[in-house]
Every structure is written in structure tokens, then in C-alpha cells.
């Protein structure tokens, strides 16, 4: 399972070749993918701020829903894990919630642009920074 953070989609929309390559494997059905509900929030917020084009964000959101799983923050386990990640590694709250949800979904590779994710070091999970 591949986990995709918000930064991955920003890079995809900017034409980052590595992000495009990963996305093609997902669309081709080669890899399962999980994205946090908070990524949807962050992408919409970036569109409202004008940092991303609203129509591109809408297309991306439809693609996320079509090819992958959205992880929802719907359990105390995810919230507790996120609080431990945030406190123990100094990760900002939103990033900790995204990371905890992706881990809960079984993500073994997580693509991000956030350096704070790299503090997570556990066997079986690779953090890939774009």
C-alpha cells in the first residue's frame, strides 16, 4: 500500500516526474493507494488561497476517490497514535494525523514533501520525500 500526503499531489500538479511516475503505477492498478481526508481539506484550502488552480484540484480529488482509499479520522486509535507521533517526534498536528491515518491504512511507502515525516523510522515503512 502506498500512502500519499498532500505535498505529493502538489508536486503531481506541478509536473514533478517522480510524482507522475508513482501516480501512473497507481492509475494502472499496480499499487493500492491511501490518502488522508485531511489531504482533501488541504488541497481545497490551497485552491481557495489561489496556490493551486481550483479546477485542477477538483480533477485531482475525483481521481483520488476513483483510484484509492481515503482514510478518515474516525477512531480514537488513530487520534492517540497521532498525538504520540506529534509529541514524540515534534511533528505538527495535521501532519501527525495524516501520518497516523496512512499508517493505520497499512501504507508501507509514504510519499511526501514534508521533512518532518522523515523522523518516522520503523521497519516496513519507507518515507519517500519528493
Amino acid at each position: 500500500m502506498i500512502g500519499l500526503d498532500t505535498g505529493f499531489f502538489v508536486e503531481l500538479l506541478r509536473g514533478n516526474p517522480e510524482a507522475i511516475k508513482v501516480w501512473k503505477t497507481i492509475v494502472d492498478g499496480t499499487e493500492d493507494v491511501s490518502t488522508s481526508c485531511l489531504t482533501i481539506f488541504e488541497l481545497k484550502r490551497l485552491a481557495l488561497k489561489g496556490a493551486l488552480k481550483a479546477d485542477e484540484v477538483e480533477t485531482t480529488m475525483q481521481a483520488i476517490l476513483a483510484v484509492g482509499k481515503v482514510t478518515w479520522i474516525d477512531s480514537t486509535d488513530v487520534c492517540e497514535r497521532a498525538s504520540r507521533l506529534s509529541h514524540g517526534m515534534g511533528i505538527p498536528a495535521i501532519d501527525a494525523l495524516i501520518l497516523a491515518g496512512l499508517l493505520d491504512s497499512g501504507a508501507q511507502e509514504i510519499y511526501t514533501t514534508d521533512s518532518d515525516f522523515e523522523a518516522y523510522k520503523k521497519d516496513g515503512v519507507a518515507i519517500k520525500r519528493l
Side-chain angles (χ1 to χ4, degrees), residues 59-80:
T59 300
T60 301
M61 304 244 324
Q62 295 305 316
I64 290 169
L65 296 172
V67 300
K69 171 185 172 184
V70 175
T71 59
W72 299 97
I73 303 169
D74 60 356
S75 76
T76 56
D77 290 342
V78 172
C79 291
E80 288 176 12

Side-chain angles (χ1 to χ4, degrees), residues 10-29:
V10 171
E11 288 300 304
L12 182 65
L13 291 171
R14 289 181 178 159
N16 178 307
E18 186 176 359
I20 291 169
K21 180 181 173 185
V22 171
W23 187 249
K24 284 182 180 179
T25 66
I26 293 164
V27 171
D28 291 344

Side-chain angles (χ1 to χ4, degrees), residues 22-125:
V22 171
W23 187 249
K24 284 182 180 179
T25 66
I26 293 164
V27 171
D28 291 344
T30 309
E31 295 285 348
D32 291 330
V33 66
S34 180
T35 302
S36 174
C37 63
L38 293 171
T39 290
I40 293 171
F41 160 79
E42 288 185 318
L43 289 172
K44 285 288 196 176
R45 185 180 65 166
L46 288 168
L48 290 169
K49 290 170 60 175
L52 296 173
K53 293 180 181 176
D55 60 332
E56 290 179 356
V57 167
E58 192 56 40
T59 300
T60 301
M61 304 244 324
Q62 295 305 316
I64 290 169
L65 296 172
V67 300
K69 171 185 172 184
V70 175
T71 59
W72 299 97
I73 303 169
D74 60 356
S75 76
T76 56
D77 290 342
V78 172
C79 291
E80 288 176 12
R81 186 177 204 174
S83 67
R84 288 191 303 275
L85 289 169
S86 182
H87 175 73
M89 297 186 328
I91 297 175
I94 294 286
D95 287 345
L97 285 162
I98 290 171
L99 179 57
L102 294 176
L103 294 170
D104 190 60
S105 74
Q108 296 169 321
E109 283 184 317
I110 298 173
Y111 287 85
T112 184
T113 57
D114 292 326
S115 60
D116 54 10
F117 275 47
E118 293 174 318
Y120 186 82
K121 301 201 184 304
K122 297 283 182 184
D123 287 341
V125 177

